[in-house]
Amino acid sequence: MQPNLFSLFAIVVVAVLTIVIGTYGARLARSTSDFIVASRSVGPRWNAAAISGEYLSAASFLGVAGLVLKDGADALWYPVGFTAGFVALLLFVAAPLRRSGAYTLPDFAEARLGSAVLRRVATVFVVLIGWLYLVPQLQGAGLTLSTVTGYPLWVGAAVVAGVVMLNVITGGMRSITFVQAFQYWLKLTALAVPVFVLLIHQAGQDAASRQSLGADAPPFFVADTTVDVETDVTLQVSTPMVLGATGGVDGVVADGPVYWAPGTHEVTEGTRLDFPGGAAVPVVSGSPVDNESWLQPLSSGVFPLFETYSLVLALLLGTMGLPHVLVRFYTNPDGRAARTTTFVVIALLALFYLFPVVSGLFARLAVPTLLVTGTSDAAVLLLPGAALQGWPAQALGALVAAGAFAAFLLTASGLVISVAGVLATDLLPARVRDYRVAAVAGGAVPLAFVLAASPLDLAASVALAFAVAASSFCPLLLLGIWWRGLTDAGAVAGMVVGGGLALLAVVPAAFGRLPPAAEALFGQPAALTVPVAFLTMVVVSLRTQDRVPDDVARIMLRLHAPDRLGLTEDRDTTRFGIVSAATPRVRSGRHRR
Amino acid sequence: MSEAAPGRGGWGDAPGRRVRVVLAERRRTRRVHRTRSDVEEQTHVGEVLVRQLVREQLTLALRLGLLTVAVLFAIPATFALVPALRTMDVYGLRLPWLVLGIGVYPFLLAIAWIFNRGAEHNEQEFSEMVES
C-alpha cells in the first residue's frame, strides 16, 4: 500500500503534541491537591468533555464503525451500551462516589470496608482490567499505522506503547482537563467531517451508479479488486464464483483461478485474492452474508439473543468499574456537579456515536474488501480514500488518522496512569523509581499480549474488559454504596469469584480460535458472571455480619448527605470516621495536602 | 439586606425590625447546630433521617434503572418475537436502525434528566429537614 504522507504527518504531529503537552502540563499540575484546586474552576461541561474524550477509545473511534460494517444492526448495541453505562453510573454511583472522596477504586474499597486484603484484591483487578482495556488500544494503533504506511501491525502498537510510557514517566497527561476536553471535540470532528462530506458527495451522484444497501443480495465489488489477506480468515461465500488466488486456500497452495462453491472457505495469511468486478463479496464467518440479513437485528453470532443480552449487561454495568473513567470524576467539585457532568457526558456520547454508525454504513458501500480481510476496524480510516479522490481524500484521511491516534494515546495514557499508580503504591514499594518500573510494566504487558494474541474486533475486545469490570467492581460499588450489610469478606469473595470467572472466560476468548458455541459464551460471559458475583457477595456478607464495619452509619452519611451540609471531604483515603476524629483540620472542610 | 440595615438617623422603623431578624437568625443557628450534630453524631434521630434519605435515593435510582433495563432488554425480545418488525420501514429507514441508532439516546438522556431532578429534590428535602 502507498504510504499516505498526509496521514503519517498528522499522526506524528499528534504524538509529538501529546508528549510536549504532557511534559509541559506536568509542571502545571503536579500533585493531587493541584488537581483538586484546578477542579474548582472547571465547569461540568468541560469536565464532561474531558471524561468523554478519555472514554472514547479505539473501540469507539474505529471499532464501532468496523462492527457496523461487518455485523450491521446487531453492532448498534455497542454504542448504545457504551452510553447506557453512564446512565447506570449516574443512577447508582456518581454522586455518592464523588462524596466518598476516594480517588481510585481501591481507595473506595478500603475506605468503605477498612480492609487491606480487599484493597489488594481491588488493586489486582484495576491492573487486570486496565491491561485488558489497553490491548485493543494498542491493536488499534497497530492497525492504523499499518493502514496508513503499510508497516507491520506491531510497529504501531510498539510506538503507542512507547509514547504512552514515556509520557507517564515524565508525569504528563494527568490532570489536564482542557487537553482532554479538546480531544473529545477533535475525535468528534475527525469522524463527523468525513461523514458530512460523504453525505454531500453521495447526494451529488446519480442514482444508477449507487449501490443500495436495501438490495436483497450480498455487497459486491464495483470493479476488479485485489485483496491481500494478512491474517488467517474463514470466509462465507453465498454465490458461486471464480477468482484468482495466490497463496493458501482451503488447505492447498493455489496459484491461478479458483472456483468457490457456496459455503465456507479458509484462506491463510499472506494470500492474494483477485476478485472480478461484480462478484459478491465473501464475508468473514459468523457475520451476516447478504445485505438483507445484515440490515436485520439478531442475524450474527451463534446465540444472537443471549449474546445481545450479555453484551448489553456487560456494557451497562462495566462502565462504572473502569479505572480511568472513575479518576476523572474526582475533578468534579461535589456530588451534585458529578451528576450534572454525567448527564452532559451522556449527551456528548449520544452525539458522537451517530457518526461511527453512519461511517459503518458508508463503509459497507465503499470498502467491502475489509469484509474479506477481516480487518473491518480499518473502515473509518479507509473510507475517505475509497469514496473520494484527490486532496479532499488525503486531507480527510489525515484528519481521521489524527483523531484515531489521539484516541489511542489519550485512553492508553489514562489507563497506564491508573495501572502504574496502583502498581506503584500498592503492589510495589512506592518510590519514584518504582513508579517508572510500574509505568513500563503497565504498558509492556499489554504490548506483549497484543503480539501474542490473535486480533479480535476492537469493540468486541473492549467488551471483554467491560465484562470483567461488571463482574468485579460493579457489585462492590453498588452494594458498597447502597447496602449497609456488605462486609469485607463478602466483597473479596464476590470480586474473586465473579471477576475470576469472567477472566477465565475472557482470556481464551482474547486468544481466539474457540469453537463457535464456546466463543458465544466465553466472548460474552457477563450474563452469567455478573449474577454470580452479586450472589456471592451478598451470601458471604450475610454469613459474616459480625464483620460489618462499626462506622458504617457514618460512612453512609458521608456518601449520601447533600453537599451543602458540608459533610464531604476530599482525598479521604484512610477511613472516613477515623480521619475526621483524629484530624480536626479535615473536618473543617479543607483537603489534606 | 435592606431590612437588617438600620435606617440612618431615623428612629421609627429600624429597631423593631432589626431585633426580629437577629432573634430569628440566632434561633435558627442554634437549631441547625443541634439537628446537624444529630445527623453527624449518629444519634437515633439522625440515623433515621439518613436511612430515610438513602432509601428514597435508592428507590428513585432503582425505579429508573429498572425502567431503563426493561426498555433496553425489551428491544431484542420484541425483534425476536415479532420478526416483521425487523424489516419494517419507517420513512425509508429500517426500524431497528432507527430505534438503536437514534431513538435510544433521547430515552437515556430523559432518564438521566429525571433522575437528576429527583435526586436533587430528595436532597433538598433532607437539607430542609435537617436545618429547619
Side-chain angles (χ1 to χ4, degrees):
Chain A
M1 180 177 284
Q2 200 71 347
N4 182 340
L5 292 179
F6 276 100
S7 302
L8 192 60
F9 178 70
I11 287 174
V12 171
V13 167
V14 168
V16 170
L17 265 183
T18 307
I19 295 175
V20 168
I21 293 172
T23 328
Y24 174 69
R27 277 186 225 137
L28 283 181
R30 242 180 230 294
S31 65
T32 322
S33 42
D34 289 335
F35 197 33
I36 299 163
V37 172
S39 76
R40 307 292 181 219
S41 58
V42 177
R45 283 185 199 176
W46 279 98
N47 246 321
I51 291 173
S52 311
E54 192 157 357
Y55 182 66
L56 292 171
S57 66
S60 299
F61 194 89
L62 300 179
V64 169
L67 274 180
V68 168
L69 158 66
K70 201 160 70 90
D71 291 344
D74 282 331
L76 296 175
W77 281 108
Y78 280 90
V80 170
F82 289 148
T83 313
F86 276 95
V87 176
L89 196 149
L90 170 67
L91 295 188
F92 296 103
V93 177
L97 190 73
R98 177 61 193 87
R99 287 176 187 143
S100 79
Y103 185 60
T104 64
L105 281 164
D107 280 354
F108 172 80
E110 196 190 8
R112 170 69 176 79
L113 294 163
S115 154
V117 177
L118 176 62
R119 187 190 174 93
R120 186 64 57 104
V121 172
T123 305
V124 170
F125 273 102
V126 165
V127 172
L128 291 175
I129 293 168
W131 279 344
L132 264 179
Y133 209 109
L134 271 164
V135 170
Q137 311 308 321
L138 299 181
Q139 274 176 354
L143 182 71
T144 305
L145 211 61
S146 91
T147 305
V148 169
T149 63
Y151 292 141
L153 285 172
W154 64 267
V155 177
V159 166
V160 165
V163 170
V164 166
M165 284 188 276
L166 189 72
N167 207 358
V168 173
I169 289 170
T170 54
M173 294 302 279
R174 176 156 219 143
S175 48
I176 310 152
T177 308
F178 292 96
V179 175
Q180 290 181 324
F182 169 75
Q183 297 255 20
Y184 168 79
W185 296 105
L186 172 64
K187 289 172 194 174
L188 182 69
T189 312
L191 279 190
V193 170
V195 163
F196 282 121
V197 171
L198 285 173
L199 280 174
I200 294 165
H201 181 76
Q202 185 86 354
Q205 283 185 328
D206 59 310
S209 69
R210 273 189 237 161
Q211 275 200 55
S212 168
L213 288 170
D216 189 9
F220 60 89
F221 292 109
V222 181
D224 291 2
T225 309
T226 301
V227 177
D228 290 307
V229 177
E230 278 160 11
T231 49
D232 297 357
V233 286
T234 308
L235 298 174
Q236 304 173 84
V237 176
S238 57
T239 48
M241 66 168 91
V242 175
L243 71 160
T246 320
V249 175
D250 289 332
V252 292
V253 178
D255 190 10
V258 175
Y259 170 76
W260 274 3
T264 58
H265 297 274
E266 307 245 349
V267 181
T268 50
E269 189 182 334
T271 306
R272 170 167 289 200
L273 302 171
D274 294 300
F275 293 96
V281 179
V283 175
V284 178
S285 71
S287 295
V289 175
D290 58 293
N291 280 337
E292 181 51 43
S293 55
W294 176 81
L295 277 172
Q296 294 185 20
L298 305 173
S299 58
S300 54
V302 189
F303 310 114
L305 204 56
F306 170 81
E307 285 174 54
T308 304
Y309 278 134
S310 204
L311 171 72
V312 176
L313 197 67
L315 300 183
L316 196 62
L317 299 179
T319 306
M320 65 180 72
L322 297 177
H324 64 304
V325 171
L326 211 71
V327 169
R328 281 237 58 100
F329 266 83
Y330 200 63
T331 334
N332 292 301
D334 55 33
R336 193 163 172 248
R339 280 198 205 113
T340 316
T341 299
T342 320
F343 175 78
V344 182
V345 167
I346 296 168
L348 290 177
L349 292 182
L351 173 68
F352 178 87
Y353 282 125
L354 289 176
F355 297 103
V357 170
V358 180
S359 298
L361 286 168
F362 275 120
R364 183 94 178 168
L365 297 172
V367 279
T369 48
L370 294 177
L371 291 169
V372 181
T373 57
T375 51
S376 48
D377 286 322
V380 169
L381 298 165
L382 293 175
L383 190 55
L388 306 165
Q389 286 87 37
W391 68 265
Q394 299 240 317
L396 288 179
L399 179 66
V400 176
F405 246 69
F408 313 138
L409 287 175
L410 192 62
T411 309
S413 294
L415 285 163
V416 171
I417 286 167
S418 302
V419 169
V422 296
L423 269 181
T425 53
D426 287 308
L427 297 183
L428 304 167
R431 273 172 288 157
V432 179
R433 202 179 151 272
D434 289 332
Y435 186 72
R436 287 178 193 166
V437 173
V440 171
V445 172
L447 182 60
F449 202 80
V450 169
L451 303 181
S454 65
L456 277 180
D457 293 312
L458 295 176
S461 176
V462 157
L464 299 181
F466 276 84
V468 176
S471 319
S472 54
F473 284 128
C474 166
L476 173 73
L477 283 168
L478 290 192
L479 295 175
I481 289 172
W482 298 104
W483 186 42
R484 285 161 194 257
L486 183 71
T487 65
D488 53 348
V492 168
M495 283 180 73
V496 169
V497 171
L501 280 178
L503 274 173
L504 279 182
V506 152
V507 171
F511 277 99
R513 300 277 150 204
L514 288 168
E519 200 173 282
L521 182 60
F522 282 50
Q524 303 291 356
L528 295 178
T529 54
V530 171
V532 166
F534 270 99
L535 207 65
T536 314
M537 218 173 260
V538 171
V539 169
V540 176
S541 292
L542 286 177
R543 295 257 161 163
T544 52
Q545 278 299 293
D546 53 319
R547 297 180 67 97
V548 170
D550 299 331
D551 56 351
V552 63
R554 181 178 292 274
I555 292 172
M556 280 297 174
L557 173 67
R558 285 286 142 78
L559 295 179
H560 295 284
D563 306 302
R564 48 185 276 207
L565 296 182
L567 301 175
T568 314
E569 289 151 12
D570 280 328
R571 195 70 183 133
D572 214 358
T573 49
T574 12
R575 309 213 61 196
F576 306 137
I578 295 167
V579 165
S580 44
T583 52
R585 232 190 94 206
V586 176
R587 285 194 74 148
S588 68
R590 267 181 259 159
H591 57 265
R592 295 191 298 161
R593 299 251 170 211
Chain B
M1 282 203 285
S2 55
E3 306 119 273
R8 187 176 289 175
W11 311 63
D13 51 342
R17 251 187 225 174
R18 189 168 62 194
V19 168
R20 199 168 65 223
V21 167
V22 167
L23 274 177
E25 276 178 2
R26 258 192 203 154
R27 193 191 302 142
R28 197 202 283 149
T29 320
R30 204 165 50 222
R31 282 187 51 180
V32 165
H33 272 299
R34 246 224 348 255
T35 341
R36 267 180 70 163
S37 58
D38 270 352
V39 170
E40 252 183 301
E41 286 162 18
Q42 302 296 319
T43 59
H44 183 67
V45 178
E47 176 76 13
V48 168
L49 283 175
V50 174
R51 272 182 192 269
Q52 195 187 336
L53 172 72
V54 173
R55 194 159 46 238
E56 272 173 9
Q57 298 286 51
L58 183 61
T59 312
L60 176 70
L62 278 178
R63 267 191 198 149
L64 290 171
L66 286 177
L67 177 65
T68 311
V69 169
V71 169
L72 287 185
F73 278 32
I75 295 172
T78 314
F79 286 137
L81 294 174
V82 192
L85 289 179
R86 297 188 212 169
T87 53
M88 200 174 143
D89 267 332
V90 181
Y91 299 113
L93 285 168
R94 290 298 183 93
L95 182 69
W97 290 77
L98 213 56
V99 170
L100 294 176
I102 300 168
V104 167
Y105 297 103
F107 166 71
L108 294 177
L109 268 176
I111 293 277
W113 179 256
I114 295 168
F115 173 77
N116 277 1
R117 289 196 46 181
E120 240 142 69
H121 176 78
N122 288 345
E123 286 179 0
Q124 189 79 27
E125 280 193 340
F126 178 82
S127 306
E128 275 164 16
M129 208 174 333
V130 168
E131 286 183 347
S132 66

